[in-house]
Amino acid sequence: MDSTSAAAIGRPRGFDVEEALERAMSVFWEQGYEGATLTDLTRAMGINRTSMYAAFGNKEQLFRAALQRYLQGPGGYLAHALQEPTARRVAEEFLAGSVRTTTRPDAPAGCLTVQGALSAGDAGRPARDALMTCREQAWSHLRERFGKAVDDGDLPPEADPGLLARYLMTVGNGIAVQAATGASRDELQRVADCALRHWPPL
């Protein structure tokens, strides 16, 4: 390695990487993968393209980093819901989390994992595939949790864990789409409450 390369690697970055990633997450959340241009991203992040590439790689890599930040932050309600003691409480907290996250007054409406690449073309295929994987992992976690609930007697033996998980995912995704089109938090919480009236009784 020559001295120029060593100096470049050792030189401290002149910006807050975590703050820049937070801002990139907001841009992707609001505009989707293809809608977010490099100009939009670097302007929001307060850096130039060279700095962005050096810190995060290309646009796809930046999107994946922003998605992980979303899942660990605003979109982390699934992990919390899975810790609830009963299957019904898991369902309640999952839908309540969906409502809270998609209607935050300090963030874009809707959900990054739902709207991030719904209309993406070929250029957005990596982002679309990443989001599909993310949603299927969420379904899998819920299915496993509800399977345990059946084994524990917390759900009736005839309950279908995969179907219940898909039901919750469908309602949660619908909440995200409705939030993005302007539905209020109160309206969407009522939708969540209505959905839970069909939860299997013991």
Side-chain angles (χ1 to χ4, degrees), residues 95 99 171 175 178 186-196:
L95 293 182
V99 172
V171 175
I175 284 171
Q178 289 296 309
D186 286 345
E187 288 176 310
L188 294 175
Q189 186 57 57
R190 289 200 295 272
V191 169
D193 294 341
C194 181
L196 288 168

Side-chain angles (χ1 to χ4, degrees), residues 75-158:
Y77 56 87
L78 170 61
H80 295 294
L82 291 171
Q83 302 305 313
E84 291 293 331
T86 67
R88 183 179 179 87
R89 285 293 300 155
V90 171
E92 289 173 350
E93 284 304 305
F94 176 78
L95 293 182
S98 178
V99 172
R100 287 193 305 270
T101 298
T102 58
T103 59
R104 286 175 50 165
D106 61 341
C111 173
L112 174 59
T113 66
V114 175
Q115 291 128 244
L118 278 182
S119 59
D122 288 343
R125 184 179 298 278
R128 186 171 66 244
D129 291 347
L131 293 179
M132 287 175 59
T133 298
C134 176
R135 291 192 296 269
E136 284 305 291
Q137 286 175 341
W139 170 78
S140 180
H141 288 315
L142 286 168
R143 180 192 60 184
E144 290 176 8
R145 178 64 181 81
F146 296 148
K148 181 178 183 302
V150 171
D151 292 341
D152 293 346
D154 180 42
L155 282 172
E158 67 274 14

